[in-house]
Amino acid sequence: MGIREAGTNEFVQKIREINKPLFLKILATMHPKHLSITEFSYDLDPERIAKYPLEERDASKLLVYKSGTVTTSTYKQVAEFLPEETLLIFNNTKVVEARLLFQKPTGGVIEIFCLEPGDQYKDITSAMLQKGKASWKCLVGGASKWKHGMKLQKQVNENGVNFILEASIAGRLPDCFIIDLSWKPEEVSFAEILHIAGFIPLPPYLHRSAEEDDKNRYQTIYAKQDGSVAAPTAGLHFTDEVFERLAAKNIRHDFVTLHVGAGTFKPVKAETMDEHEMHAEFIEVAAEAVERLINYVDKTVVAVGTTSLRTIESLYWMGVKVLHEPAIEVDDIVISQWDPYELEHFGIEVKDALKALFYWMIKKGLNKIITKTQILIAPGYQLKIAKGIITNFHQPQSTLLLLVAAIVGEEWKRIYQYAMDNDFRFLSYGDGCLLWNDSK
């Protein structure tokens, strides 16, 4: 029985009202396929959405939840709420200028939003390094005005160099177009072309165009790997001073890469999660990062952001796949939406799974693993590696809110109400929270 059905069932509703521990136990054992997103909603006052970042990154407020207690601090003091020998995991992806605007000879504007590289590229990094031409899956604004066979052209002068970018439609998929892009000078990489000719794609809920300051503020200070169309926003609050305070307390950090796709903003329209297809995203994780996680599993691992959490939790399930099928190939180690719930019965210890993955990588001669994950973390999921998360406040009825509920249970409602009552700023440029998983 799903949550939606439970809400209409008189008996289960009574349990929910008079025996909360029993209801939460039922919730924890329920398969997320049966969850209804309508149970994960709240009234978000538009005035609470931060349209611009604060002047100082680490001045953003930090809500801290642990063992039923909620307190308020700032990101500058985050080290005070983490035990010594904690390992923080950050996502070092970099937001690319994925919005390209082309003006037709008649004056109309067509927008091309680069989502992800074509299937011929093994990963985003290699696609970003293409020179002269590339093929990308894109959303197209004004597609009805783009006549078949028409080639769009855009010219940009940068530091005295004239760049010419052309675009044509190569094909159409159910939810996007395949766009062939070519440019001159040909020795320039696609990443450089985007930087020269494109615009930062701010989240749609900000309802404003990107400004000059967004080029810096919509990136973490440690962003390195080109490929995201949205920032891993929990990391936006970290500064050099915060990292110095963490180091002084012997709190270490490491990086993984998950290239955030536009699917992160994809609304859940299905009645139950069984009918919602989670977006798949590229991840890259070095063997050294897997080895460090092995050393910290018995200590404290905290993910900075939902993308970091999804990445390291996916590593566990990859290890389970390796133990179940030692000869598995790289192409088959992708984590699908429901893998965690279908592989759970193997009951593999976390350290055993990570060791299996690490030695499999060594055997395959892989200094890093590059694959995709479609993992859905929702109530019913038990965290394997992380003991907590640092994250922003997320939209109602989103898969990100499901992830939060998987960590803190029904307490998410009280946490979010506290944030609303205490003037916290919401979404990408807003404040954030440190949430501990009480069951770990």
Side-chain angles (χ1 to χ4, degrees), residues 54 56-62 73-75 237 425 430-431:
L54 296 182
E56 297 180 22
R57 290 176 182 260
D58 55 16
S60 294
K61 289 201 289 188
L62 180 72
S73 185
T74 65
Y75 271 83
H237 310 289
R425 303 163 76 244
D431 301 313

Side-chain angles (χ1 to χ4, degrees), residues 136-175:
W136 277 68
K137 298 176 183 178
C138 306
L139 298 178
V140 177
S144 60
K145 303 173 184 176
W146 192 350
K147 295 181 180 179
H148 181 72
M150 178 190 294
K151 184 171 287 190
L152 303 178
Q153 188 178 92
K154 180 183 183 72
Q155 296 190 39
V156 181
N157 191 282
E158 181 84 358
N159 297 325
V161 179
N162 192 44
F163 294 88
I164 301 175
L165 175 63
E166 294 185 335
S168 58
I169 298 175
R172 183 164 189 170
L173 299 174
D175 54 356

Side-chain angles (χ1 to χ4, degrees), residues 30-285:
M30 191 173 296
H31 198 297
K33 284 184 177 182
H34 304 302
L35 292 173
S36 171
I37 199 66
T38 58
E39 291 285 334
F40 300 87
S41 190
Y42 66 96
D43 293 326
L44 176 57
D45 184 345
E47 295 298 315
R48 289 279 179 265
I49 300 175
K51 290 201 170 186
Y52 292 89
L54 296 182
E55 186 174 341
E56 297 180 22
R57 290 176 182 260
D58 55 16
S60 294
K61 289 201 289 188
L62 180 72
L63 180 154
V64 181
Y65 170 84
K66 188 172 186 178
S67 302
T69 301
V70 181
T71 55
T72 299
S73 185
T74 65
Y75 271 83
K76 192 169 288 186
Q77 278 74 48
V78 67
E80 298 176 12
F81 301 95
L82 299 168
E84 291 187 10
E85 294 193 72
T86 293
L87 177 65
L88 293 176
I89 300 295
F90 293 86
N91 181 6
N92 66 359
T93 189
K94 188 174 184 180
V95 183
V96 296
E97 294 89 343
R99 292 180 62 239
L100 295 167
L101 302 179
F102 290 83
Q103 189 167 27
K104 295 169 55 184
T106 55
V109 174
I110 291 178
E111 176 181 335
I112 296 176
F113 187 177
C114 300
L115 298 175
E116 63 177 82
D119 294 336
Q120 64 267 48
Y121 306 109
K122 65 177 182 178
D123 55 58
I124 286 186
T125 300
S126 60
M128 283 291 175
L129 294 177
Q130 294 298 308
K131 295 183 178 181
K133 61 181 180 180
S135 178
W136 277 68
K137 298 176 183 178
C138 306
L139 298 178
V140 177
S144 60
K145 303 173 184 176
W146 192 350
K147 295 181 180 179
H148 181 72
M150 178 190 294
K151 184 171 287 190
L152 303 178
Q153 188 178 92
K154 180 183 183 72
Q155 296 190 39
V156 181
N157 191 282
E158 181 84 358
N159 297 325
V161 179
N162 192 44
F163 294 88
I164 301 175
L165 175 63
E166 294 185 335
S168 58
I169 298 175
R172 183 164 189 170
L173 299 174
D175 54 356
C176 66
F177 291 84
I178 298 175
I179 304 297
D180 283 342
L181 297 147
S182 61
W183 57 91
K184 293 180 179 179
E186 296 180 354
E187 63 269 19
V188 177
S189 71
F190 186 60
E192 292 173 289
I193 281 293
L194 287 180
H195 182 67
I196 293 166
F199 298 88
I200 288 288
L202 290 183
Y205 48 67
L206 292 186
H207 298 295
R208 69 174 179 85
S209 300
E211 300 174 13
E212 187 63 28
D213 193 47
D214 292 309
K215 291 182 179 180
N216 172 52
R217 290 310 303 273
Y218 198 57
Q219 300 279 14
T220 61
I221 66 169
Y222 48 82
K224 183 179 180 181
Q225 305 291 340
D226 286 310
S228 279
V229 299
T233 55
L236 295 178
H237 310 289
F238 283 79
T239 62
D240 289 332
E241 181 181 349
V242 171
F243 278 112
E244 289 169 5
R245 292 188 177 195
L246 292 168
K249 196 175 175 181
N250 197 29
I251 296 170
R252 304 290 183 87
H253 65 270
D254 208 339
F255 299 101
V256 295
T257 304
L258 181 145
H259 292 301
V260 189
T264 192
F265 301 117
K266 182 181 179 181
V268 180
K269 298 180 179 179
E271 188 169 320
T272 62
M273 293 309 297
D274 188 26
E275 301 163 352
H276 176 78
E277 184 176 1
M278 190 69 176
H279 53 287
E281 293 165 311
F282 280 100
I283 62 173
E284 296 183 23
V285 183

